[in-house]
Short mmCIF file of all heavy atoms in Angstrom, two decimals:
data_model
loop_
_atom_site.label_atom_id
_atom_site.label_comp_id
_atom_site.label_asym_id
_atom_site.label_seq_id
_atom_site.Cartn_x
_atom_site.Cartn_y
_atom_site.Cartn_z
N GLU A 1284 -29.61 -76.07 -41.88
CA GLU A 1284 -31.01 -76.06 -42.34
C GLU A 1284 -31.13 -75.98 -43.88
O GLU A 1284 -31.99 -76.55 -44.46
CB GLU A 1284 -31.68 -74.81 -41.74
CG GLU A 1284 -31.99 -74.97 -40.23
CD GLU A 1284 -32.36 -73.67 -39.54
OE1 GLU A 1284 -31.99 -72.62 -40.05
OE2 GLU A 1284 -32.98 -73.72 -38.47
N ASN A 1285 -30.17 -75.28 -44.50
CA ASN A 1285 -30.09 -75.20 -45.95
C ASN A 1285 -29.96 -76.59 -46.55
O ASN A 1285 -30.59 -76.94 -47.54
CB ASN A 1285 -29.00 -74.26 -46.40
CG ASN A 1285 -29.46 -72.81 -46.64
OD1 ASN A 1285 -29.95 -72.49 -47.73
ND2 ASN A 1285 -29.27 -72.04 -45.63
N VAL A 1286 -29.06 -77.40 -45.97
CA VAL A 1286 -28.87 -78.73 -46.50
C VAL A 1286 -30.12 -79.62 -46.26
O VAL A 1286 -30.51 -80.40 -47.10
CB VAL A 1286 -27.63 -79.39 -45.86
CG1 VAL A 1286 -27.45 -80.82 -46.31
CG2 VAL A 1286 -26.40 -78.59 -46.15
N GLN A 1287 -30.74 -79.45 -45.10
CA GLN A 1287 -31.97 -80.20 -44.82
C GLN A 1287 -33.07 -79.89 -45.86
O GLN A 1287 -33.89 -80.74 -46.16
CB GLN A 1287 -32.47 -79.95 -43.41
CG GLN A 1287 -31.61 -80.64 -42.34
CD GLN A 1287 -32.15 -80.40 -40.96
OE1 GLN A 1287 -31.96 -79.32 -40.37
NE2 GLN A 1287 -32.82 -81.40 -40.38
N VAL A 1288 -33.12 -78.64 -46.28
CA VAL A 1288 -34.12 -78.23 -47.33
C VAL A 1288 -33.93 -79.14 -48.57
O VAL A 1288 -34.87 -79.61 -49.18
CB VAL A 1288 -33.98 -76.75 -47.68
CG1 VAL A 1288 -34.76 -76.42 -49.00
CG2 VAL A 1288 -34.50 -75.86 -46.58
N GLY A 1289 -32.62 -79.39 -48.91
CA GLY A 1289 -32.38 -80.23 -50.09
C GLY A 1289 -32.84 -81.69 -49.93
O GLY A 1289 -33.06 -82.38 -50.88
N MET A 1290 -33.08 -82.10 -48.63
CA MET A 1290 -33.53 -83.47 -48.41
C MET A 1290 -35.01 -83.64 -48.47
O MET A 1290 -35.49 -84.78 -48.42
CB MET A 1290 -33.06 -83.90 -46.95
CG MET A 1290 -31.56 -83.98 -46.82
SD MET A 1290 -31.06 -84.43 -45.15
CE MET A 1290 -29.29 -84.35 -45.32
N ASN A 1291 -35.77 -82.54 -48.57
CA ASN A 1291 -37.25 -82.63 -48.51
C ASN A 1291 -37.82 -83.55 -49.57
O ASN A 1291 -38.80 -84.25 -49.30
CB ASN A 1291 -37.80 -81.22 -48.69
CG ASN A 1291 -37.81 -80.44 -47.40
OD1 ASN A 1291 -37.57 -80.96 -46.31
ND2 ASN A 1291 -37.98 -79.11 -47.49
N SER A 1292 -37.18 -83.62 -50.77
CA SER A 1292 -37.76 -84.45 -51.80
C SER A 1292 -37.62 -85.91 -51.51
O SER A 1292 -38.25 -86.78 -52.12
CB SER A 1292 -37.04 -84.16 -53.13
OG SER A 1292 -35.65 -84.52 -53.07
N ARG A 1293 -36.75 -86.30 -50.51
CA ARG A 1293 -36.53 -87.71 -50.13
C ARG A 1293 -37.20 -88.09 -48.83
O ARG A 1293 -37.14 -89.21 -48.39
CB ARG A 1293 -35.00 -87.98 -50.05
CG ARG A 1293 -34.27 -87.65 -51.29
CD ARG A 1293 -34.60 -88.59 -52.45
NE ARG A 1293 -33.86 -88.17 -53.64
CZ ARG A 1293 -34.18 -88.62 -54.86
NH1 ARG A 1293 -35.18 -89.52 -54.97
NH2 ARG A 1293 -33.48 -88.30 -55.92
N MET A 1294 -37.90 -87.12 -48.19
CA MET A 1294 -38.54 -87.36 -46.90
C MET A 1294 -39.98 -87.78 -47.01
O MET A 1294 -40.60 -87.47 -48.04
CB MET A 1294 -38.35 -86.17 -45.95
CG MET A 1294 -36.88 -85.90 -45.66
SD MET A 1294 -36.57 -84.46 -44.62
CE MET A 1294 -37.04 -85.11 -43.02
N HIS A 1295 -40.52 -88.39 -46.01
CA HIS A 1295 -41.84 -89.07 -46.16
C HIS A 1295 -42.90 -88.52 -45.14
O HIS A 1295 -43.97 -89.13 -45.05
CB HIS A 1295 -41.70 -90.57 -45.97
CG HIS A 1295 -40.74 -91.20 -46.91
ND1 HIS A 1295 -39.42 -91.40 -46.60
CD2 HIS A 1295 -40.86 -91.58 -48.20
CE1 HIS A 1295 -38.75 -91.98 -47.60
NE2 HIS A 1295 -39.61 -92.04 -48.62
N ALA A 1296 -42.58 -87.49 -44.45
CA ALA A 1296 -43.46 -87.06 -43.34
C ALA A 1296 -44.88 -86.67 -43.84
O ALA A 1296 -45.90 -87.01 -43.25
CB ALA A 1296 -42.81 -85.88 -42.55
N GLY A 1297 -44.93 -85.88 -44.89
CA GLY A 1297 -46.23 -85.36 -45.34
C GLY A 1297 -46.74 -84.25 -44.43
O GLY A 1297 -46.14 -83.93 -43.41
N ILE A 1298 -47.91 -83.69 -44.81
CA ILE A 1298 -48.45 -82.59 -44.06
C ILE A 1298 -48.87 -82.99 -42.63
O ILE A 1298 -48.54 -82.36 -41.63
CB ILE A 1298 -49.66 -81.95 -44.81
CG1 ILE A 1298 -49.17 -81.36 -46.17
CG2 ILE A 1298 -50.33 -80.87 -44.00
CD1 ILE A 1298 -50.26 -80.86 -47.02
N LEU A 1299 -49.61 -84.07 -42.56
CA LEU A 1299 -50.05 -84.52 -41.24
C LEU A 1299 -48.92 -84.93 -40.33
O LEU A 1299 -48.93 -84.60 -39.11
CB LEU A 1299 -51.03 -85.69 -41.34
CG LEU A 1299 -52.41 -85.40 -42.03
CD1 LEU A 1299 -53.22 -86.65 -42.17
CD2 LEU A 1299 -53.15 -84.37 -41.16
N GLY A 1300 -47.94 -85.54 -40.86
CA GLY A 1300 -46.73 -85.91 -40.13
C GLY A 1300 -46.03 -84.71 -39.57
O GLY A 1300 -45.54 -84.71 -38.42
N ALA A 1301 -45.92 -83.65 -40.41
CA ALA A 1301 -45.24 -82.45 -39.99
C ALA A 1301 -46.01 -81.72 -38.87
O ALA A 1301 -45.44 -81.10 -37.98
CB ALA A 1301 -45.11 -81.47 -41.18
N ILE A 1302 -47.34 -81.87 -38.87
CA ILE A 1302 -48.20 -81.22 -37.88
C ILE A 1302 -48.15 -81.98 -36.54
O ILE A 1302 -47.91 -81.44 -35.44
CB ILE A 1302 -49.64 -81.10 -38.36
CG1 ILE A 1302 -49.71 -80.10 -39.52
CG2 ILE A 1302 -50.54 -80.60 -37.20
CD1 ILE A 1302 -51.05 -80.04 -40.21
N PHE A 1303 -48.37 -83.32 -36.60
CA PHE A 1303 -48.53 -84.10 -35.37
C PHE A 1303 -47.21 -84.72 -34.91
O PHE A 1303 -47.09 -85.12 -33.71
CB PHE A 1303 -49.56 -85.19 -35.59
CG PHE A 1303 -50.94 -84.63 -35.82
CD1 PHE A 1303 -51.50 -84.65 -37.08
CD2 PHE A 1303 -51.65 -84.04 -34.81
CE1 PHE A 1303 -52.79 -84.15 -37.32
CE2 PHE A 1303 -52.91 -83.51 -34.99
CZ PHE A 1303 -53.48 -83.57 -36.24
N ARG A 1304 -46.22 -84.87 -35.80
CA ARG A 1304 -44.85 -85.33 -35.47
C ARG A 1304 -44.83 -86.55 -34.65
O ARG A 1304 -44.36 -86.64 -33.53
CB ARG A 1304 -44.09 -84.20 -34.78
CG ARG A 1304 -44.02 -82.91 -35.59
CD ARG A 1304 -43.13 -81.84 -35.01
NE ARG A 1304 -41.76 -82.20 -35.11
CZ ARG A 1304 -40.93 -82.46 -34.07
NH1 ARG A 1304 -41.39 -82.46 -32.87
NH2 ARG A 1304 -39.66 -82.76 -34.28
N PRO A 1305 -45.31 -87.69 -35.23
CA PRO A 1305 -45.23 -88.96 -34.54
C PRO A 1305 -43.77 -89.42 -34.47
O PRO A 1305 -42.86 -88.83 -35.07
CB PRO A 1305 -46.06 -89.87 -35.42
CG PRO A 1305 -45.99 -89.26 -36.77
CD PRO A 1305 -46.00 -87.77 -36.53
N PRO A 1306 -43.46 -90.49 -33.71
CA PRO A 1306 -42.10 -90.93 -33.54
C PRO A 1306 -41.36 -91.18 -34.84
O PRO A 1306 -40.14 -90.88 -34.92
CB PRO A 1306 -42.26 -92.24 -32.72
CG PRO A 1306 -43.51 -92.04 -31.97
CD PRO A 1306 -44.41 -91.25 -32.83
N ARG A 1307 -42.01 -91.73 -35.86
CA ARG A 1307 -41.30 -92.00 -37.10
C ARG A 1307 -40.81 -90.71 -37.76
O ARG A 1307 -39.77 -90.68 -38.42
CB ARG A 1307 -42.21 -92.81 -38.07
CG ARG A 1307 -43.42 -92.04 -38.54
CD ARG A 1307 -44.23 -92.89 -39.56
NE ARG A 1307 -45.44 -92.16 -39.97
CZ ARG A 1307 -45.46 -91.13 -40.88
NH1 ARG A 1307 -44.36 -90.74 -41.44
NH2 ARG A 1307 -46.60 -90.55 -41.13
N VAL A 1308 -41.66 -89.66 -37.65
CA VAL A 1308 -41.25 -88.34 -38.23
C VAL A 1308 -40.07 -87.77 -37.42
O VAL A 1308 -39.13 -87.24 -38.04
CB VAL A 1308 -42.44 -87.37 -38.19
CG1 VAL A 1308 -41.96 -85.96 -38.58
CG2 VAL A 1308 -43.49 -87.84 -39.19
N LYS A 1309 -40.09 -87.83 -36.13
CA LYS A 1309 -39.00 -87.40 -35.25
C LYS A 1309 -37.71 -88.07 -35.58
O LYS A 1309 -36.64 -87.52 -35.63
CB LYS A 1309 -39.33 -87.50 -33.81
CG LYS A 1309 -40.44 -86.53 -33.35
CD LYS A 1309 -40.75 -86.71 -31.86
CE LYS A 1309 -41.85 -85.80 -31.37
NZ LYS A 1309 -42.18 -85.99 -29.99
N ARG A 1310 -37.89 -89.40 -35.82
CA ARG A 1310 -36.69 -90.24 -36.25
C ARG A 1310 -36.12 -89.74 -37.56
O ARG A 1310 -34.88 -89.61 -37.70
CB ARG A 1310 -37.10 -91.73 -36.29
CG ARG A 1310 -36.52 -92.57 -35.23
CD ARG A 1310 -36.72 -94.06 -35.50
NE ARG A 1310 -37.80 -94.45 -36.31
CZ ARG A 1310 -39.03 -94.73 -35.80
NH1 ARG A 1310 -39.29 -94.62 -34.48
NH2 ARG A 1310 -39.99 -95.12 -36.60
N GLU A 1311 -37.02 -89.53 -38.52
CA GLU A 1311 -36.62 -89.05 -39.81
C GLU A 1311 -35.89 -87.71 -39.76
O GLU A 1311 -34.87 -87.50 -40.39
CB GLU A 1311 -37.80 -89.02 -40.81
CG GLU A 1311 -37.39 -88.71 -42.24
CD GLU A 1311 -38.60 -88.76 -43.16
OE1 GLU A 1311 -39.60 -88.09 -42.86
OE2 GLU A 1311 -38.52 -89.46 -44.21
N GLU A 1312 -36.40 -86.80 -38.91
CA GLU A 1312 -35.81 -85.50 -38.73
C GLU A 1312 -34.43 -85.60 -38.13
O GLU A 1312 -33.51 -84.90 -38.58
CB GLU A 1312 -36.65 -84.64 -37.85
CG GLU A 1312 -37.99 -84.17 -38.52
CD GLU A 1312 -38.89 -83.44 -37.58
OE1 GLU A 1312 -38.61 -83.37 -36.39
OE2 GLU A 1312 -39.91 -82.89 -38.06
N ALA A 1313 -34.31 -86.49 -37.14
CA ALA A 1313 -32.93 -86.69 -36.51
C ALA A 1313 -31.95 -87.24 -37.50
O ALA A 1313 -30.80 -86.83 -37.58
CB ALA A 1313 -33.11 -87.59 -35.33
N GLU A 1314 -32.43 -88.19 -38.34
CA GLU A 1314 -31.55 -88.76 -39.32
C GLU A 1314 -31.16 -87.75 -40.37
O GLU A 1314 -30.00 -87.74 -40.87
CB GLU A 1314 -32.30 -89.96 -39.98
CG GLU A 1314 -32.40 -91.20 -39.11
CD GLU A 1314 -33.39 -92.21 -39.68
OE1 GLU A 1314 -33.92 -91.98 -40.78
OE2 GLU A 1314 -33.54 -93.30 -39.02
N SER A 1315 -32.08 -86.86 -40.73
CA SER A 1315 -31.74 -85.76 -41.73
C SER A 1315 -30.75 -84.83 -41.17
O SER A 1315 -29.85 -84.34 -41.90
CB SER A 1315 -33.02 -85.02 -42.12
OG SER A 1315 -33.44 -84.10 -41.16
N ARG A 1316 -30.83 -84.53 -39.90
CA ARG A 1316 -29.83 -83.65 -39.29
C ARG A 1316 -28.45 -84.31 -39.30
O ARG A 1316 -27.38 -83.68 -39.64
CB ARG A 1316 -30.16 -83.27 -37.86
CG ARG A 1316 -31.26 -82.22 -37.75
CD ARG A 1316 -31.42 -81.68 -36.32
NE ARG A 1316 -31.87 -82.74 -35.41
CZ ARG A 1316 -33.13 -83.04 -35.14
NH1 ARG A 1316 -34.14 -82.38 -35.79
NH2 ARG A 1316 -33.46 -83.95 -34.25
N ASP A 1317 -28.36 -85.58 -38.96
CA ASP A 1317 -27.13 -86.32 -38.98
C ASP A 1317 -26.53 -86.37 -40.41
O ASP A 1317 -25.30 -86.16 -40.63
CB ASP A 1317 -27.30 -87.74 -38.47
CG ASP A 1317 -27.56 -87.82 -36.99
OD1 ASP A 1317 -27.30 -86.79 -36.29
OD2 ASP A 1317 -28.05 -88.83 -36.46
N ARG A 1318 -27.36 -86.62 -41.35
CA ARG A 1318 -26.94 -86.70 -42.75
C ARG A 1318 -26.49 -85.35 -43.24
O ARG A 1318 -25.49 -85.25 -43.95
CB ARG A 1318 -28.13 -87.19 -43.64
CG ARG A 1318 -27.88 -87.20 -45.10
CD ARG A 1318 -26.79 -88.18 -45.51
NE ARG A 1318 -26.61 -88.24 -46.93
CZ ARG A 1318 -25.47 -88.41 -47.54
NH1 ARG A 1318 -24.37 -88.62 -46.85
NH2 ARG A 1318 -25.36 -88.43 -48.85
N ALA A 1319 -27.16 -84.27 -42.82
CA ALA A 1319 -26.78 -82.89 -43.20
C ALA A 1319 -25.40 -82.59 -42.66
O ALA A 1319 -24.54 -82.01 -43.32
CB ALA A 1319 -27.80 -81.87 -42.78
N ARG A 1320 -25.13 -82.98 -41.44
CA ARG A 1320 -23.82 -82.70 -40.79
C ARG A 1320 -22.70 -83.48 -41.60
O ARG A 1320 -21.63 -82.93 -41.81
CB ARG A 1320 -23.82 -83.14 -39.36
CG ARG A 1320 -24.64 -82.24 -38.44
CD ARG A 1320 -24.48 -82.62 -37.01
NE ARG A 1320 -25.38 -81.86 -36.10
CZ ARG A 1320 -26.58 -82.37 -35.69
NH1 ARG A 1320 -26.92 -83.61 -35.93
NH2 ARG A 1320 -27.31 -81.63 -34.91
N GLU A 1321 -23.04 -84.71 -41.96
CA GLU A 1321 -22.05 -85.50 -42.75
C GLU A 1321 -21.73 -84.79 -44.08
O GLU A 1321 -20.55 -84.74 -44.48
CB GLU A 1321 -22.59 -86.90 -43.00
CG GLU A 1321 -22.64 -87.79 -41.78
CD GLU A 1321 -23.37 -89.10 -42.10
OE1 GLU A 1321 -23.67 -89.31 -43.27
OE2 GLU A 1321 -23.59 -89.89 -41.16
N LEU A 1322 -22.74 -84.30 -44.72
CA LEU A 1322 -22.55 -83.62 -46.06
C LEU A 1322 -21.76 -82.35 -45.91
O LEU A 1322 -20.93 -82.02 -46.72
CB LEU A 1322 -23.93 -83.38 -46.72
CG LEU A 1322 -24.57 -84.59 -47.38
CD1 LEU A 1322 -25.97 -84.23 -47.84
CD2 LEU A 1322 -23.73 -85.05 -48.62
N LEU A 1323 -22.06 -81.58 -44.85
CA LEU A 1323 -21.32 -80.35 -44.60
C LEU A 1323 -19.83 -80.60 -44.36
O LEU A 1323 -18.96 -79.93 -44.87
CB LEU A 1323 -21.93 -79.54 -43.47
CG LEU A 1323 -23.29 -78.90 -43.76
CD1 LEU A 1323 -23.95 -78.43 -42.46
CD2 LEU A 1323 -23.05 -77.67 -44.70
N THR A 1324 -19.56 -81.66 -43.56
CA THR A 1324 -18.17 -82.05 -43.29
C THR A 1324 -17.56 -82.49 -44.59
O THR A 1324 -16.38 -82.08 -44.92
CB THR A 1324 -18.15 -83.15 -42.24
OG1 THR A 1324 -18.69 -82.66 -41.05
CG2 THR A 1324 -16.71 -83.59 -41.98
N TYR A 1325 -18.20 -83.30 -45.37
CA TYR A 1325 -17.69 -83.81 -46.65
C TYR A 1325 -17.36 -82.66 -47.59
O TYR A 1325 -16.33 -82.73 -48.36
CB TYR A 1325 -18.72 -84.71 -47.33
CG TYR A 1325 -18.25 -85.28 -48.64
CD1 TYR A 1325 -17.33 -86.35 -48.73
CD2 TYR A 1325 -18.73 -84.75 -49.83
CE1 TYR A 1325 -16.88 -86.77 -49.96
CE2 TYR A 1325 -18.32 -85.19 -51.08
CZ TYR A 1325 -17.38 -86.22 -51.12
OH TYR A 1325 -16.96 -86.66 -52.32
N CYS A 1326 -18.20 -81.62 -47.59
CA CYS A 1326 -18.01 -80.50 -48.53
C CYS A 1326 -17.05 -79.45 -47.97
O CYS A 1326 -16.91 -78.36 -48.53
CB CYS A 1326 -19.35 -79.90 -48.85
SG CYS A 1326 -20.40 -80.93 -49.85
N GLY A 1327 -16.41 -79.77 -46.84
CA GLY A 1327 -15.33 -78.87 -46.30
C GLY A 1327 -15.84 -77.81 -45.36
O GLY A 1327 -15.19 -76.79 -45.13
N LEU A 1328 -17.00 -78.06 -44.75
CA LEU A 1328 -17.63 -77.10 -43.80
C LEU A 1328 -17.87 -77.75 -42.49
O LEU A 1328 -18.97 -77.71 -41.92
CB LEU A 1328 -18.89 -76.53 -44.38
CG LEU A 1328 -18.79 -75.87 -45.80
CD1 LEU A 1328 -20.17 -75.61 -46.33
CD2 LEU A 1328 -17.97 -74.58 -45.71
N PRO A 1329 -16.87 -78.35 -41.86
CA PRO A 1329 -17.12 -79.15 -40.60
C PRO A 1329 -17.53 -78.33 -39.41
O PRO A 1329 -18.13 -78.86 -38.50
CB PRO A 1329 -15.77 -79.87 -40.37
CG PRO A 1329 -14.79 -78.98 -41.02
CD PRO A 1329 -15.43 -78.42 -42.23
#
């Protein structure tokens, strides 16, 4: 979750997207989790 916080500046959901969570927002959230896992592994925290 800490790493995902760092991704907020690059995400596009906006306030309404965060509230209603359409498919594109859910996709973006899933991608952010995958990317966060990759970064944690890269930084030695697998």
